[in-house]
Amino acid sequence: MDPQLDKLKFDSAGLIPAIVQDHQTGQVLSLYYMNRAAIEKTIETGKVHTFSRSRNRLALKGETSGHFEFVKSILADCDRDALVIKVEQIGGACHEGYYSCFFRQYERGAPDFKTIAEKTFDPDAVYKK
Amino acid sequence: MDPQLDKLKFDSAGLIPAIVQDHQTGQVLSLYYMNRAAIEKTIETGKVHTFSRSRNRLALKGETSGHFEFVKSILADCDRDALVIKVEQIGGACHEGYYSCFFRQYERGAPDFKTIAEKTFDPDAVYKK
């Protein structure tokens, strides 16, 4: 077992938030939740695994799309209750077809957030085979 | 009232996670939690405000240290249940004296995460006046 992981603080549901970031540009791609098993599997395989709260199971990011996230480094914060995972992102991180999930920008006075990115893939083609 | 904020998804405690990022380098500085009032105050003042779960109140980031975070842009993710706030960081974001709270790096086989940053200020001098 890995003593570094013993020092992490998981919440009452056994989860810790993990910010996934492009290792070259610094762009934030997604915010996930991981349990200890997901972190261990991520370290073991070098590919990001999450704990899917909706499916209540471990999930390999990219298992359907092939859009894997290859781990370059893992950081913990001062309180050890949050992670940053720097990755090489294949395809795009977002199930809506964008490279990053954070494609909506707040604009003062607007009725809604504005989409500021172009899709990098067609989600219908990728997810509905 | 701001209709864009009506579309955000807050958790059962009325909070949404907010990733704070250096607007120039992309370095992730902190992960905070905000309620709607904190977001409104952040937009109104241009300085990051959080909801402090430990103090159970709105908190201006930098209120003790002077290490304000000036907002450059606010992004929401696909599900509208997480934010990225790009900021100009004064001093440093971390109460331990580091520019970023994410100063610990995982290293396979090590007994603990390794500190990979130098302190940018003396927290004793800043916080214990």
Side-chain angles (χ1 to χ4, degrees):
Chain A
M1 306 321 294
D2 192 326
Q4 290 174 85
L5 303 188
D6 293 338
K7 299 177 192 242
L8 293 177
K9 290 180 199 150
F10 296 89
D11 70 14
S12 58
L15 301 177
I16 189 169
I19 299 158
V20 174
Q21 181 180 38
D22 183 295
H23 76 111
Q24 288 185 311
T25 66
Q27 185 174 15
V28 175
L29 303 177
S30 295
L31 178 67
Y32 296 134
Y33 293 86
M34 301 173 91
N35 59 6
R36 178 158 177 153
I39 300 173
E40 288 173 342
K41 197 80 179 168
T42 295
I43 291 169
E44 178 193 326
T45 62
K47 290 184 205 162
V48 171
H49 288 68
T50 68
F51 182 78
S52 167
R53 293 181 294 179
S54 56
R55 288 171 289 174
N56 196 39
R57 68 166 177 85
L58 215 64
L60 166 63
K61 172 66 191 171
E63 64 187 356
T64 303
S65 61
H67 295 168
F68 302 113
E69 295 175 330
F70 292 99
V71 177
K72 298 296 182 179
S73 59
I74 300 176
L75 305 173
D77 74 340
C78 44
D79 298 329
R80 300 171 194 261
D81 61 3
L83 300 174
V84 164
I85 306 182
K86 297 187 184 184
V87 304
E88 179 191 346
Q89 173 71 55
I90 306 301
C94 184
H95 71 290
E96 293 197 22
Y98 297 94
Y99 187 67
S100 164
C101 292
F102 293 89
F103 61 82
R104 306 182 197 276
Q105 182 162 295
Y106 177 84
E107 290 197 24
R108 195 183 287 261
D112 195 2
F113 285 80
K114 183 183 173 187
T115 296
I116 56 162
E118 300 284 328
K119 290 187 183 183
T120 56
F121 64 94
D122 175 1
D124 289 340
V126 166
Y127 292 105
K128 291 180 184 171
K129 284 172 188 168
Chain B
M1 307 317 295
D2 192 327
Q4 289 173 86
L5 303 187
D6 293 337
K7 299 176 191 242
L8 293 177
K9 289 181 199 150
F10 297 88
D11 70 13
S12 58
L15 300 177
I16 188 169
I19 300 158
V20 174
Q21 181 181 38
D22 183 295
H23 76 112
Q24 287 185 311
T25 65
Q27 186 175 12
V28 175
L29 303 176
S30 296
L31 178 67
Y32 296 134
Y33 293 87
M34 301 173 92
N35 59 6
R36 178 156 177 156
I39 300 173
E40 287 172 341
K41 197 80 177 167
T42 295
I43 291 168
E44 178 193 325
T45 63
K47 291 183 202 161
V48 171
H49 289 67
T50 68
F51 182 77
S52 168
R53 293 182 293 180
S54 56
R55 288 172 288 175
N56 196 41
R57 68 166 177 86
L58 215 64
L60 166 62
K61 172 68 191 171
E63 63 188 358
T64 304
S65 62
H67 294 169
F68 302 113
E69 295 175 330
F70 292 99
V71 177
K72 298 295 183 181
S73 59
I74 300 176
L75 305 173
D77 74 340
C78 45
D79 297 329
R80 301 173 195 259
D81 61 2
L83 299 175
V84 164
I85 305 182
K86 298 187 183 183
V87 304
E88 179 191 348
Q89 173 71 55
I90 305 301
C94 183
H95 71 290
E96 294 197 21
Y98 298 94
Y99 187 67
S100 164
C101 292
F102 293 90
F103 61 82
R104 307 182 195 279
Q105 183 161 295
Y106 177 85
E107 289 197 25
R108 195 183 287 261
D112 195 1
F113 286 81
K114 182 182 174 189
T115 295
I116 56 161
E118 300 285 329
K119 290 187 184 184
T120 56
F121 64 94
D122 176 1
D124 289 341
V126 166
Y127 292 104
K128 292 179 184 170
K129 284 175 187 167

